[in-house]
Amino acid sequence: MQNPISLLTRRFMLCIAALACLSAVSCSGPRRGPNEVDADAETEFTTTESGLKYRMLRKGSGKQPTANSRVKVDYAGWLDSGQFFDSSYDRSEPAEFGLDQVVAGWTEGLQYVKEGGMIELEVPSDLGYGPSGRPGIPPNATLHFKVELHEIR
């Protein structure tokens, strides 16, 4: 059993690191960081037929991707507990991948946002990693993401 104080300290340090990362991104030049949302951004989530929940945080003005598009994005992902498990902001480099290569929640959710926009996703387990989970993500976890769509390639 872990010492409860060291566990709290580790969680506190994770939160501080995440906040520092997000603060640095929003101050790093012309690219808008994950906390910069439209003044009229949606406050309520929309739930799709599949169970995916999303809300538009920043409207884009470009094209919208399809399920087979290749995209360039910045994102941060966390669990219900608030623990961050992955972030392109931590790497200071956007990620690029095909929407047919990611979890179903991303494939569906990114089709709602236009280039230049930002969306928040709440991905239920069956649209994420399901009962198997993956390293750093427990089985049956709900996943949360903020995703900025920079470009469709």
Side-chain angles (χ1 to χ4, degrees):
M1 181 176 204
Q2 286 190 339
N3 177 341
I5 292 177
S6 67
L7 183 59
L8 285 173
T9 301
R10 199 167 74 217
R11 283 187 181 162
F12 177 75
M13 294 306 290
L14 276 171
C15 290
I16 295 299
L19 288 172
C21 166
L22 294 176
S23 296
V25 168
S26 62
C27 299
S28 66
R31 207 163 46 115
R32 300 202 305 177
N35 289 326
E36 295 184 24
V37 301
D38 289 342
D40 62 347
E42 297 173 1
T43 57
E44 300 293 321
F45 283 87
T46 299
T47 303
T48 69
E49 197 171 297
S50 70
L52 176 70
K53 294 181 180 181
Y54 74 92
R55 65 186 183 125
M56 204 59 58
L57 299 176
R58 186 170 63 228
K59 294 177 185 76
S61 58
K63 302 177 293 185
Q64 284 180 262
T66 66
N68 296 314
S69 293
R70 186 160 186 83
V71 297
K72 184 176 181 181
V73 300
D74 268 308
Y75 67 91
W78 65 96
L79 301 172
D80 281 340
S81 67
Q83 178 183 346
F84 281 80
F85 59 82
D86 194 13
S87 172
S88 66
Y89 299 105
D90 287 347
R91 295 184 292 280
S92 299
E93 184 176 340
E96 189 174 321
F97 48 78
L99 287 182
D100 57 356
Q101 300 173 316
V102 293
V103 296
W106 269 59
T107 304
E108 179 182 350
L110 267 285
Q111 293 180 70
Y112 296 114
V113 66
K114 294 179 179 181
E115 284 178 316
M118 180 171 54
I119 192 168
E120 183 173 351
L121 303 172
E122 184 175 305
V123 180
S125 173
D126 60 321
L127 298 177
Y129 294 104
S132 60
R134 63 168 253 191
I137 300 174
N140 301 311
T142 297
L143 308 175
H144 303 267
F145 296 96
K146 284 189 181 177
V147 185
E148 291 184 270
L149 176 57
H150 297 303
E151 186 177 350
I152 300 170
R153 301 250 169 161

